Amino acid sequence: MRKYPIILLILIFSIAMCASQTNESSPQNADNGLVSYAFEHLEEYRAALSLAKMMRLRMSLLYPENADTAIAIVFPELMRYSEMRDSLEALATRLLYSKDKDNRIYSIGHFQMKPTFAETIEREIAKNSELKNRYRAIDYGGAKFTRKSRALRIHRLRNIDTEIAYISAFIDICTKKLITGLETPEERIKLLATAYNSGRDKTKQQLNRFMEQNSFPCGTMSKKSKWNYAQISADFFADVRPRAE
């Protein structure tokens, strides 16, 4: 990766730290966004940026109109993705999920999706003929009653093309439910990213409240979560994403 994005990140971070002193009342600023996180986790940022380039290219081939939004929404997940950890968690999830222990399963794949998330997306697809035609690769109706159907869902969540299908379908479904068309690009990304991070079943009002909380990377209850998922996604969409192309 070229060096100038890192140098620019450090410069932006320094400027943002000065600016934040005059805007401490704002819950979302550079202190809890991508610049701050990358400054403290440089290797994770570099690895995620490299992965994002590959993922965005594939997204642009499969679902081009959703590619930019999708890669921004999942970029925080790419920064905490570990191939080794994912392999172990996928094994544990396969064992627990096959025994119908949904409350104990892990998020898996590059985008850190749970099989139960995939089920809900599949059920939404099954209700809509347009989505069924568009997402044939994951048109399985949310079936979970057999061990085989569950095993196949886990396989789909660890396949890049079907991972991309799930995130694109999520965007289509949530855009129809949540987006009015009056939002700025940043507001739209933040709303969709929050729905992805906290649950698409929440109301818009609930999502707006959750959006104010720092929940990355370990959840709202952890002291390690000094960053805001939606802000990181919005920052990537607005600034870093063009350099990942």
Side-chain angles (χ1 to χ4, degrees), residues 182-218:
L182 300 177
E183 299 86 357
T184 66
E186 180 181 9
E187 289 169 342
R188 178 177 179 273
I189 291 294
K190 284 183 175 180
L191 192 56
L192 293 175
T194 303
Y196 184 72
N197 181 231
S198 67
R200 67 173 196 84
D201 56 324
K202 290 182 172 63
T203 66
K204 196 169 183 177
Q205 192 173 33
Q206 289 172 321
L207 290 173
N208 283 326
R209 284 199 299 268
F210 192 89
M211 195 187 299
E212 301 295 310
Q213 303 178 48
N214 290 342
S215 62
F216 187 80
C218 302

PDB file of all heavy atoms in Angstrom, residues 182-218:
ATOM      1  N   LEU A 182     -34.152  11.817   1.801  1.00  0.00           N
ATOM      2  CA  LEU A 182     -33.835  13.180   2.246  1.00  0.00           C
ATOM      3  C   LEU A 182     -32.513  13.233   3.008  1.00  0.00           C
ATOM      4  O   LEU A 182     -32.018  14.316   3.330  1.00  0.00           O
ATOM      5  CB  LEU A 182     -34.961  13.716   3.132  1.00  0.00           C
ATOM      6  CG  LEU A 182     -36.349  13.801   2.474  1.00  0.00           C
ATOM      7  CD1 LEU A 182     -37.383  14.274   3.497  1.00  0.00           C
ATOM      8  CD2 LEU A 182     -36.322  14.732   1.265  1.00  0.00           C
ATOM      9  N   GLU A 183     -31.943  12.067   3.310  1.00  0.00           N
ATOM     10  CA  GLU A 183     -30.705  11.999   4.078  1.00  0.00           C
ATOM     11  C   GLU A 183     -29.504  12.430   3.232  1.00  0.00           C
ATOM     12  O   GLU A 183     -29.489  12.262   2.014  1.00  0.00           O
ATOM     13  CB  GLU A 183     -30.454  10.575   4.590  1.00  0.00           C
ATOM     14  CG  GLU A 183     -31.525  10.026   5.511  1.00  0.00           C
ATOM     15  CD  GLU A 183     -32.675   9.375   4.774  1.00  0.00           C
ATOM     16  OE1 GLU A 183     -32.669   9.411   3.506  1.00  0.00           O
ATOM     17  OE2 GLU A 183     -33.577   8.856   5.423  1.00  0.00           O
ATOM     18  N   THR A 184     -28.504  12.982   3.892  1.00  0.00           N
ATOM     19  CA  THR A 184     -27.230  13.211   3.226  1.00  0.00           C
ATOM     20  C   THR A 184     -26.550  11.856   3.045  1.00  0.00           C
ATOM     21  O   THR A 184     -26.919  10.873   3.713  1.00  0.00           O
ATOM     22  CB  THR A 184     -26.317  14.118   4.082  1.00  0.00           C
ATOM     23  OG1 THR A 184     -25.972  13.415   5.286  1.00  0.00           O
ATOM     24  CG2 THR A 184     -27.009  15.426   4.416  1.00  0.00           C
ATOM     25  N   PRO A 185     -25.536  11.762   2.171  1.00  0.00           N
ATOM     26  CA  PRO A 185     -24.811  10.488   2.028  1.00  0.00           C
ATOM     27  C   PRO A 185     -24.261   9.980   3.356  1.00  0.00           C
ATOM     28  O   PRO A 185     -24.323   8.779   3.641  1.00  0.00           O
ATOM     29  CB  PRO A 185     -23.688  10.837   1.050  1.00  0.00           C
ATOM     30  CG  PRO A 185     -24.262  11.937   0.209  1.00  0.00           C
ATOM     31  CD  PRO A 185     -25.096  12.749   1.159  1.00  0.00           C
ATOM     32  N   GLU A 186     -23.748  10.897   4.192  1.00  0.00           N
ATOM     33  CA  GLU A 186     -23.209  10.484   5.490  1.00  0.00           C
ATOM     34  C   GLU A 186     -24.305   9.945   6.398  1.00  0.00           C
ATOM     35  O   GLU A 186     -24.136   8.906   7.062  1.00  0.00           O
ATOM     36  CB  GLU A 186     -22.512  11.657   6.177  1.00  0.00           C
ATOM     37  CG  GLU A 186     -21.932  11.277   7.537  1.00  0.00           C
ATOM     38  CD  GLU A 186     -21.264  12.443   8.242  1.00  0.00           C
ATOM     39  OE1 GLU A 186     -21.404  13.593   7.762  1.00  0.00           O
ATOM     40  OE2 GLU A 186     -20.600  12.203   9.268  1.00  0.00           O
ATOM     41  N   GLU A 187     -25.449  10.607   6.432  1.00  0.00           N
ATOM     42  CA  GLU A 187     -26.563  10.146   7.264  1.00  0.00           C
ATOM     43  C   GLU A 187     -27.055   8.781   6.814  1.00  0.00           C
ATOM     44  O   GLU A 187     -27.377   7.921   7.640  1.00  0.00           O
ATOM     45  CB  GLU A 187     -27.703  11.164   7.213  1.00  0.00           C
ATOM     46  CG  GLU A 187     -27.405  12.464   7.946  1.00  0.00           C
ATOM     47  CD  GLU A 187     -28.433  13.546   7.669  1.00  0.00           C
ATOM     48  OE1 GLU A 187     -29.176  13.433   6.662  1.00  0.00           O
ATOM     49  OE2 GLU A 187     -28.492  14.513   8.447  1.00  0.00           O
ATOM     50  N   ARG A 188     -27.102   8.580   5.503  1.00  0.00           N
ATOM     51  CA  ARG A 188     -27.555   7.296   4.962  1.00  0.00           C
ATOM     52  C   ARG A 188     -26.599   6.171   5.364  1.00  0.00           C
ATOM     53  O   ARG A 188     -27.048   5.101   5.820  1.00  0.00           O
ATOM     54  CB  ARG A 188     -27.653   7.387   3.430  1.00  0.00           C
ATOM     55  CG  ARG A 188     -28.073   6.094   2.760  1.00  0.00           C
ATOM     56  CD  ARG A 188     -28.217   6.284   1.253  1.00  0.00           C
ATOM     57  NE  ARG A 188     -28.588   5.045   0.609  1.00  0.00           N
ATOM     58  CZ  ARG A 188     -27.712   4.128   0.190  1.00  0.00           C
ATOM     59  NH1 ARG A 188     -26.398   4.335   0.372  1.00  0.00           N
ATOM     60  NH2 ARG A 188     -28.120   3.017  -0.383  1.00  0.00           N
ATOM     61  N   ILE A 189     -25.302   6.398   5.200  1.00  0.00           N
ATOM     62  CA  ILE A 189     -24.327   5.380   5.564  1.00  0.00           C
ATOM     63  C   ILE A 189     -24.394   5.062   7.051  1.00  0.00           C
ATOM     64  O   ILE A 189     -24.378   3.894   7.466  1.00  0.00           O
ATOM     65  CB  ILE A 189     -22.900   5.826   5.180  1.00  0.00           C
ATOM     66  CG1 ILE A 189     -22.738   5.840   3.659  1.00  0.00           C
ATOM     67  CG2 ILE A 189     -21.854   4.910   5.820  1.00  0.00           C
ATOM     68  CD1 ILE A 189     -22.826   4.467   3.008  1.00  0.00           C
ATOM     69  N   LYS A 190     -24.493   6.094   7.877  1.00  0.00           N
ATOM     70  CA  LYS A 190     -24.546   5.889   9.321  1.00  0.00           C
ATOM     71  C   LYS A 190     -25.770   5.079   9.736  1.00  0.00           C
ATOM     72  O   LYS A 190     -25.692   4.203  10.610  1.00  0.00           O
ATOM     73  CB  LYS A 190     -24.536   7.238  10.048  1.00  0.00           C
ATOM     74  CG  LYS A 190     -23.179   7.909  10.106  1.00  0.00           C
ATOM     75  CD  LYS A 190     -23.259   9.193  10.920  1.00  0.00           C
ATOM     76  CE  LYS A 190     -21.894   9.821  11.095  1.00  0.00           C
ATOM     77  NZ  LYS A 190     -21.945  11.073  11.895  1.00  0.00           N
ATOM     78  N   LEU A 191     -26.898   5.376   9.129  1.00  0.00           N
ATOM     79  CA  LEU A 191     -28.131   4.673   9.484  1.00  0.00           C
ATOM     80  C   LEU A 191     -28.046   3.202   9.087  1.00  0.00           C
ATOM     81  O   LEU A 191     -28.375   2.307   9.884  1.00  0.00           O
ATOM     82  CB  LEU A 191     -29.321   5.349   8.801  1.00  0.00           C
ATOM     83  CG  LEU A 191     -30.719   4.937   9.279  1.00  0.00           C
ATOM     84  CD1 LEU A 191     -30.873   5.157  10.780  1.00  0.00           C
ATOM     85  CD2 LEU A 191     -31.775   5.726   8.520  1.00  0.00           C
ATOM     86  N   LEU A 192     -27.588   2.932   7.875  1.00  0.00           N
ATOM     87  CA  LEU A 192     -27.471   1.549   7.417  1.00  0.00           C
ATOM     88  C   LEU A 192     -26.397   0.791   8.195  1.00  0.00           C
ATOM     89  O   LEU A 192     -26.576  -0.389   8.523  1.00  0.00           O
ATOM     90  CB  LEU A 192     -27.165   1.520   5.918  1.00  0.00           C
ATOM     91  CG  LEU A 192     -28.279   2.016   4.989  1.00  0.00           C
ATOM     92  CD1 LEU A 192     -27.801   2.062   3.543  1.00  0.00           C
ATOM     93  CD2 LEU A 192     -29.517   1.123   5.099  1.00  0.00           C
ATOM     94  N   ALA A 193     -25.288   1.459   8.492  1.00  0.00           N
ATOM     95  CA  ALA A 193     -24.217   0.819   9.259  1.00  0.00           C
ATOM     96  C   ALA A 193     -24.681   0.479  10.671  1.00  0.00           C
ATOM     97  O   ALA A 193     -24.355  -0.587  11.206  1.00  0.00           O
ATOM     98  CB  ALA A 193     -22.991   1.730   9.313  1.00  0.00           C
ATOM     99  N   THR A 194     -25.465   1.373  11.272  1.00  0.00           N
ATOM    100  CA  THR A 194     -25.985   1.110  12.612  1.00  0.00           C
ATOM    101  C   THR A 194     -26.969  -0.055  12.596  1.00  0.00           C
ATOM    102  O   THR A 194     -26.964  -0.898  13.500  1.00  0.00           O
ATOM    103  CB  THR A 194     -26.670   2.366  13.179  1.00  0.00           C
ATOM    104  OG1 THR A 194     -25.728   3.442  13.189  1.00  0.00           O
ATOM    105  CG2 THR A 194     -27.161   2.131  14.597  1.00  0.00           C
ATOM    106  N   ALA A 195     -27.804  -0.113  11.566  1.00  0.00           N
ATOM    107  CA  ALA A 195     -28.739  -1.235  11.433  1.00  0.00           C
ATOM    108  C   ALA A 195     -27.981  -2.548  11.275  1.00  0.00           C
ATOM    109  O   ALA A 195     -28.381  -3.584  11.830  1.00  0.00           O
ATOM    110  CB  ALA A 195     -29.663  -1.007  10.238  1.00  0.00           C
ATOM    111  N   TYR A 196     -26.887  -2.514  10.535  1.00  0.00           N
ATOM    112  CA  TYR A 196     -26.085  -3.728  10.341  1.00  0.00           C
ATOM    113  C   TYR A 196     -25.409  -4.131  11.647  1.00  0.00           C
ATOM    114  O   TYR A 196     -25.354  -5.316  11.987  1.00  0.00           O
ATOM    115  CB  TYR A 196     -25.030  -3.477   9.266  1.00  0.00           C
ATOM    116  CG  TYR A 196     -24.219  -4.700   8.916  1.00  0.00           C
ATOM    117  CD1 TYR A 196     -24.781  -5.743   8.186  1.00  0.00           C
ATOM    118  CD2 TYR A 196     -22.888  -4.817   9.312  1.00  0.00           C
ATOM    119  CE1 TYR A 196     -24.049  -6.868   7.867  1.00  0.00           C
ATOM    120  CE2 TYR A 196     -22.142  -5.935   8.989  1.00  0.00           C
ATOM    121  CZ  TYR A 196     -22.728  -6.961   8.270  1.00  0.00           C
ATOM    122  OH  TYR A 196     -21.985  -8.085   7.964  1.00  0.00           O
ATOM    123  N   ASN A 197     -24.922  -3.166  12.377  1.00  0.00           N
ATOM    124  CA  ASN A 197     -24.186  -3.434  13.607  1.00  0.00           C
ATOM    125  C   ASN A 197     -25.073  -3.807  14.787  1.00  0.00           C
ATOM    126  O   ASN A 197     -24.706  -4.649  15.606  1.00  0.00           O
ATOM    127  CB  ASN A 197     -23.344  -2.201  13.962  1.00  0.00           C
ATOM    128  CG  ASN A 197     -22.527  -2.377  15.217  1.00  0.00           C
ATOM    129  OD1 ASN A 197     -22.558  -1.550  16.120  1.00  0.00           O
ATOM    130  ND2 ASN A 197     -21.749  -3.443  15.296  1.00  0.00           N
ATOM    131  N   SER A 198     -26.257  -3.201  14.860  1.00  0.00           N
ATOM    132  CA  SER A 198     -27.093  -3.388  16.049  1.00  0.00           C
ATOM    133  C   SER A 198     -28.355  -4.205  15.809  1.00  0.00           C
ATOM    134  O   SER A 198     -28.985  -4.653  16.774  1.00  0.00           O
ATOM    135  CB  SER A 198     -27.487  -2.026  16.622  1.00  0.00           C
ATOM    136  OG  SER A 198     -28.359  -1.337  15.737  1.00  0.00           O
ATOM    137  N   GLY A 199     -28.747  -4.380  14.547  1.00  0.00           N
ATOM    138  CA  GLY A 199     -29.941  -5.169  14.266  1.00  0.00           C
ATOM    139  C   GLY A 199     -30.937  -4.416  13.409  1.00  0.00           C
ATOM    140  O   GLY A 199     -31.379  -3.331  13.788  1.00  0.00           O
ATOM    141  N   ARG A 200     -31.281  -4.999  12.270  1.00  0.00           N
ATOM    142  CA  ARG A 200     -32.150  -4.297  11.330  1.00  0.00           C
ATOM    143  C   ARG A 200     -33.612  -4.293  11.778  1.00  0.00           C
ATOM    144  O   ARG A 200     -34.446  -3.620  11.183  1.00  0.00           O
ATOM    145  CB  ARG A 200     -32.048  -4.920   9.932  1.00  0.00           C
ATOM    146  CG  ARG A 200     -32.601  -6.314   9.835  1.00  0.00           C
ATOM    147  CD  ARG A 200     -32.643  -6.844   8.404  1.00  0.00           C
ATOM    148  NE  ARG A 200     -33.509  -8.010   8.332  1.00  0.00           N
ATOM    149  CZ  ARG A 200     -34.816  -7.967   8.194  1.00  0.00           C
ATOM    150  NH1 ARG A 200     -35.422  -6.801   8.103  1.00  0.00           N
ATOM    151  NH2 ARG A 200     -35.532  -9.066   8.143  1.00  0.00           N
ATOM    152  N   ASP A 201     -33.924  -5.044  12.840  1.00  0.00           N
ATOM    153  CA  ASP A 201     -35.301  -5.096  13.326  1.00  0.00           C
ATOM    154  C   ASP A 201     -35.647  -3.863  14.162  1.00  0.00           C
ATOM    155  O   ASP A 201     -36.815  -3.633  14.484  1.00  0.00           O
ATOM    156  CB  ASP A 201     -35.514  -6.353  14.173  1.00  0.00           C
ATOM    157  CG  ASP A 201     -34.525  -6.452  15.329  1.00  0.00           C
ATOM    158  OD1 ASP A 201     -33.361  -6.059  15.142  1.00  0.00           O
ATOM    159  OD2 ASP A 201     -34.927  -6.924  16.409  1.00  0.00           O
ATOM    160  N   LYS A 202     -34.659  -3.045  14.508  1.00  0.00           N
ATOM    161  CA  LYS A 202     -34.911  -1.856  15.320  1.00  0.00           C
ATOM    162  C   LYS A 202     -35.628  -0.783  14.505  1.00  0.00           C
ATOM    163  O   LYS A 202     -35.506  -0.716  13.291  1.00  0.00           O
ATOM    164  CB  LYS A 202     -33.592  -1.286  15.862  1.00  0.00           C
ATOM    165  CG  LYS A 202     -32.927  -2.137  16.928  1.00  0.00           C
ATOM    166  CD  LYS A 202     -31.663  -1.472  17.431  1.00  0.00           C
ATOM    167  CE  LYS A 202     -31.086  -2.199  18.638  1.00  0.00           C
ATOM    168  NZ  LYS A 202     -30.673  -3.566  18.312  1.00  0.00           N
ATOM    169  N   THR A 203     -36.370   0.069  15.215  1.00  0.00           N
ATOM    170  CA  THR A 203     -37.014   1.200  14.557  1.00  0.00           C
ATOM    171  C   THR A 203     -35.962   2.257  14.232  1.00  0.00           C
ATOM    172  O   THR A 203     -34.845   2.237  14.773  1.00  0.00           O
ATOM    173  CB  THR A 203     -38.082   1.831  15.461  1.00  0.00           C
ATOM    174  OG1 THR A 203     -37.429   2.414  16.611  1.00  0.00           O
ATOM    175  CG2 THR A 203     -39.095   0.788  15.923  1.00  0.00           C
ATOM    176  N   LYS A 204     -36.336   3.196  13.395  1.00  0.00           N
ATOM    177  CA  LYS A 204     -35.403   4.264  13.043  1.00  0.00           C
ATOM    178  C   LYS A 204     -35.033   5.080  14.273  1.00  0.00           C
ATOM    179  O   LYS A 204     -33.876   5.511  14.427  1.00  0.00           O
ATOM    180  CB  LYS A 204     -36.041   5.153  11.971  1.00  0.00           C
ATOM    181  CG  LYS A 204     -35.059   6.060  11.258  1.00  0.00           C
ATOM    182  CD  LYS A 204     -35.701   6.691  10.042  1.00  0.00           C
ATOM    183  CE  LYS A 204     -34.704   7.540   9.266  1.00  0.00           C
ATOM    184  NZ  LYS A 204     -35.312   8.109   8.032  1.00  0.00           N
ATOM    185  N   GLN A 205     -35.979   5.284  15.154  1.00  0.00           N
ATOM    186  CA  GLN A 205     -35.727   6.038  16.382  1.00  0.00           C
ATOM    187  C   GLN A 205     -34.714   5.299  17.264  1.00  0.00           C
ATOM    188  O   GLN A 205     -33.795   5.910  17.826  1.00  0.00           O
ATOM    189  CB  GLN A 205     -37.032   6.251  17.144  1.00  0.00           C
ATOM    190  CG  GLN A 205     -36.944   7.257  18.269  1.00  0.00           C
ATOM    191  CD  GLN A 205     -38.306   7.542  18.879  1.00  0.00           C
ATOM    192  OE1 GLN A 205     -39.163   6.663  18.949  1.00  0.00           O
ATOM    193  NE2 GLN A 205     -38.513   8.770  19.313  1.00  0.00           N
ATOM    194  N   GLN A 206     -34.877   3.991  17.379  1.00  0.00           N
ATOM    195  CA  GLN A 206     -33.943   3.187  18.168  1.00  0.00           C
ATOM    196  C   GLN A 206     -32.546   3.208  17.552  1.00  0.00           C
ATOM    197  O   GLN A 206     -31.542   3.289  18.263  1.00  0.00           O
ATOM    198  CB  GLN A 206     -34.452   1.745  18.269  1.00  0.00           C
ATOM    199  CG  GLN A 206     -35.672   1.568  19.142  1.00  0.00           C
ATOM    200  CD  GLN A 206     -36.245   0.168  19.065  1.00  0.00           C
ATOM    201  OE1 GLN A 206     -36.282  -0.449  17.998  1.00  0.00           O
ATOM    202  NE2 GLN A 206     -36.687  -0.351  20.201  1.00  0.00           N
ATOM    203  N   LEU A 207     -32.493   3.145  16.235  1.00  0.00           N
ATOM    204  CA  LEU A 207     -31.200   3.167  15.548  1.00  0.00           C
ATOM    205  C   LEU A 207     -30.495   4.501  15.760  1.00  0.00           C
ATOM    206  O   LEU A 207     -29.276   4.547  15.968  1.00  0.00           O
ATOM    207  CB  LEU A 207     -31.391   2.903  14.051  1.00  0.00           C
ATOM    208  CG  LEU A 207     -31.817   1.483  13.666  1.00  0.00           C
ATOM    209  CD1 LEU A 207     -32.144   1.420  12.178  1.00  0.00           C
ATOM    210  CD2 LEU A 207     -30.729   0.472  14.005  1.00  0.00           C
ATOM    211  N   ASN A 208     -31.238   5.576  15.716  1.00  0.00           N
ATOM    212  CA  ASN A 208     -30.639   6.892  15.931  1.00  0.00           C
ATOM    213  C   ASN A 208     -30.061   7.020  17.335  1.00  0.00           C
ATOM    214  O   ASN A 208     -29.013   7.655  17.532  1.00  0.00           O
ATOM    215  CB  ASN A 208     -31.669   7.997  15.677  1.00  0.00           C
ATOM    216  CG  ASN A 208     -31.900   8.235  14.187  1.00  0.00           C
ATOM    217  OD1 ASN A 208     -30.981   8.110  13.384  1.00  0.00           O
ATOM    218  ND2 ASN A 208     -33.126   8.582  13.821  1.00  0.00           N
ATOM    219  N   ARG A 209     -30.728   6.408  18.315  1.00  0.00           N
ATOM    220  CA  ARG A 209     -30.199   6.424  19.677  1.00  0.00           C
ATOM    221  C   ARG A 209     -28.937   5.576  19.774  1.00  0.00           C
ATOM    222  O   ARG A 209     -27.948   5.988  20.394  1.00  0.00           O
ATOM    223  CB  ARG A 209     -31.261   5.924  20.670  1.00  0.00           C
ATOM    224  CG  ARG A 209     -32.357   6.926  20.973  1.00  0.00           C
ATOM    225  CD  ARG A 209     -33.090   6.580  22.261  1.00  0.00           C
ATOM    226  NE  ARG A 209     -33.742   5.274  22.189  1.00  0.00           N
ATOM    227  CZ  ARG A 209     -34.988   5.094  21.790  1.00  0.00           C
ATOM    228  NH1 ARG A 209     -35.737   6.133  21.427  1.00  0.00           N
ATOM    229  NH2 ARG A 209     -35.516   3.886  21.761  1.00  0.00           N
ATOM    230  N   PHE A 210     -28.971   4.402  19.178  1.00  0.00           N
ATOM    231  CA  PHE A 210     -27.809   3.508  19.212  1.00  0.00           C
ATOM    232  C   PHE A 210     -26.623   4.133  18.478  1.00  0.00           C
ATOM    233  O   PHE A 210     -25.466   3.920  18.856  1.00  0.00           O
ATOM    234  CB  PHE A 210     -28.164   2.160  18.585  1.00  0.00           C
ATOM    235  CG  PHE A 210     -27.132   1.092  18.838  1.00  0.00           C
ATOM    236  CD1 PHE A 210     -27.195   0.293  19.969  1.00  0.00           C
ATOM    237  CD2 PHE A 210     -26.088   0.881  17.944  1.00  0.00           C
ATOM    238  CE1 PHE A 210     -26.233  -0.684  20.211  1.00  0.00           C
ATOM    239  CE2 PHE A 210     -25.121  -0.090  18.168  1.00  0.00           C
ATOM    240  CZ  PHE A 210     -25.200  -0.877  19.317  1.00  0.00           C
ATOM    241  N   MET A 211     -26.923   4.903  17.447  1.00  0.00           N
ATOM    242  CA  MET A 211     -25.887   5.536  16.640  1.00  0.00           C
ATOM    243  C   MET A 211     -25.001   6.469  17.469  1.00  0.00           C
ATOM    244  O   MET A 211     -23.853   6.740  17.121  1.00  0.00           O
ATOM    245  CB  MET A 211     -26.546   6.322  15.498  1.00  0.00           C
ATOM    246  CG  MET A 211     -25.624   6.741  14.379  1.00  0.00           C
ATOM    247  SD  MET A 211     -26.482   7.830  13.212  1.00  0.00           S
ATOM    248  CE  MET A 211     -27.797   6.767  12.624  1.00  0.00           C
ATOM    249  N   GLU A 212     -25.540   6.969  18.566  1.00  0.00           N
ATOM    250  CA  GLU A 212     -24.801   7.897  19.414  1.00  0.00           C
ATOM    251  C   GLU A 212     -23.786   7.187  20.312  1.00  0.00           C
ATOM    252  O   GLU A 212     -22.950   7.838  20.939  1.00  0.00           O
ATOM    253  CB  GLU A 212     -25.779   8.679  20.291  1.00  0.00           C
ATOM    254  CG  GLU A 212     -26.812   9.491  19.519  1.00  0.00           C
ATOM    255  CD  GLU A 212     -26.176  10.602  18.716  1.00  0.00           C
ATOM    256  OE1 GLU A 212     -25.371  11.349  19.292  1.00  0.00           O
ATOM    257  OE2 GLU A 212     -26.464  10.710  17.522  1.00  0.00           O
ATOM    258  N   GLN A 213     -23.871   5.871  20.392  1.00  0.00           N
ATOM    259  CA  GLN A 213     -23.035   5.134  21.341  1.00  0.00           C
ATOM    260  C   GLN A 213     -21.776   4.583  20.684  1.00  0.00           C
ATOM    261  O   GLN A 213     -21.809   4.126  19.538  1.00  0.00           O
ATOM    262  CB  GLN A 213     -23.830   3.973  21.941  1.00  0.00           C
ATOM    263  CG  GLN A 213     -25.122   4.385  22.633  1.00  0.00           C
ATOM    264  CD  GLN A 213     -25.879   3.187  23.163  1.00  0.00           C
ATOM    265  OE1 GLN A 213     -25.331   2.310  23.813  1.00  0.00           O
ATOM    266  NE2 GLN A 213     -27.173   3.146  22.879  1.00  0.00           N
ATOM    267  N   ASN A 214     -20.690   4.581  21.427  1.00  0.00           N
ATOM    268  CA  ASN A 214     -19.464   3.943  20.971  1.00  0.00           C
ATOM    269  C   ASN A 214     -19.551   2.446  21.285  1.00  0.00           C
ATOM    270  O   ASN A 214     -19.613   2.058  22.454  1.00  0.00           O
ATOM    271  CB  ASN A 214     -18.242   4.548  21.673  1.00  0.00           C
ATOM    272  CG  ASN A 214     -17.964   5.969  21.225  1.00  0.00           C
ATOM    273  OD1 ASN A 214     -18.440   6.404  20.178  1.00  0.00           O
ATOM    274  ND2 ASN A 214     -17.214   6.711  22.015  1.00  0.00           N
ATOM    275  N   SER A 215     -19.572   1.631  20.234  1.00  0.00           N
ATOM    276  CA  SER A 215     -19.744   0.191  20.427  1.00  0.00           C
ATOM    277  C   SER A 215     -18.650  -0.642  19.752  1.00  0.00           C
ATOM    278  O   SER A 215     -18.690  -1.861  19.792  1.00  0.00           O
ATOM    279  CB  SER A 215     -21.100  -0.245  19.860  1.00  0.00           C
ATOM    280  OG  SER A 215     -21.153  -0.004  18.456  1.00  0.00           O
ATOM    281  N   PHE A 216     -17.679   0.026  19.152  1.00  0.00           N
ATOM    282  CA  PHE A 216     -16.657  -0.694  18.399  1.00  0.00           C
ATOM    283  C   PHE A 216     -15.319  -0.658  19.135  1.00  0.00           C
ATOM    284  O   PHE A 216     -14.918   0.406  19.635  1.00  0.00           O
ATOM    285  CB  PHE A 216     -16.494  -0.055  17.003  1.00  0.00           C
ATOM    286  CG  PHE A 216     -15.594  -0.816  16.085  1.00  0.00           C
ATOM    287  CD1 PHE A 216     -16.058  -1.932  15.415  1.00  0.00           C
ATOM    288  CD2 PHE A 216     -14.279  -0.422  15.893  1.00  0.00           C
ATOM    289  CE1 PHE A 216     -15.227  -2.640  14.568  1.00  0.00           C
ATOM    290  CE2 PHE A 216     -13.445  -1.119  15.055  1.00  0.00           C
ATOM    291  CZ  PHE A 216     -13.920  -2.238  14.388  1.00  0.00           C
ATOM    292  N   PRO A 217     -14.630  -1.801  19.247  1.00  0.00           N
ATOM    293  CA  PRO A 217     -14.890  -3.064  18.550  1.00  0.00           C
ATOM    294  C   PRO A 217     -15.553  -4.147  19.398  1.00  0.00           C
ATOM    295  O   PRO A 217     -15.778  -5.246  18.907  1.00  0.00           O
ATOM    296  CB  PRO A 217     -13.471  -3.508  18.181  1.00  0.00           C
ATOM    297  CG  PRO A 217     -12.638  -3.054  19.320  1.00  0.00           C
ATOM    298  CD  PRO A 217     -13.242  -1.751  19.780  1.00  0.00           C
ATOM    299  N   CYS A 218     -15.865  -3.885  20.666  1.00  0.00           N
ATOM    300  CA  CYS A 218     -16.275  -4.969  21.574  1.00  0.00           C
ATOM    301  C   CYS A 218     -17.676  -4.828  22.156  1.00  0.00           C
ATOM    302  O   CYS A 218     -18.016  -5.508  23.123  1.00  0.00           O
ATOM    303  CB  CYS A 218     -15.261  -5.092  22.713  1.00  0.00           C
ATOM    304  SG  CYS A 218     -13.569  -5.413  22.181  1.00  0.00           S
TER     305      CYS A 218
END
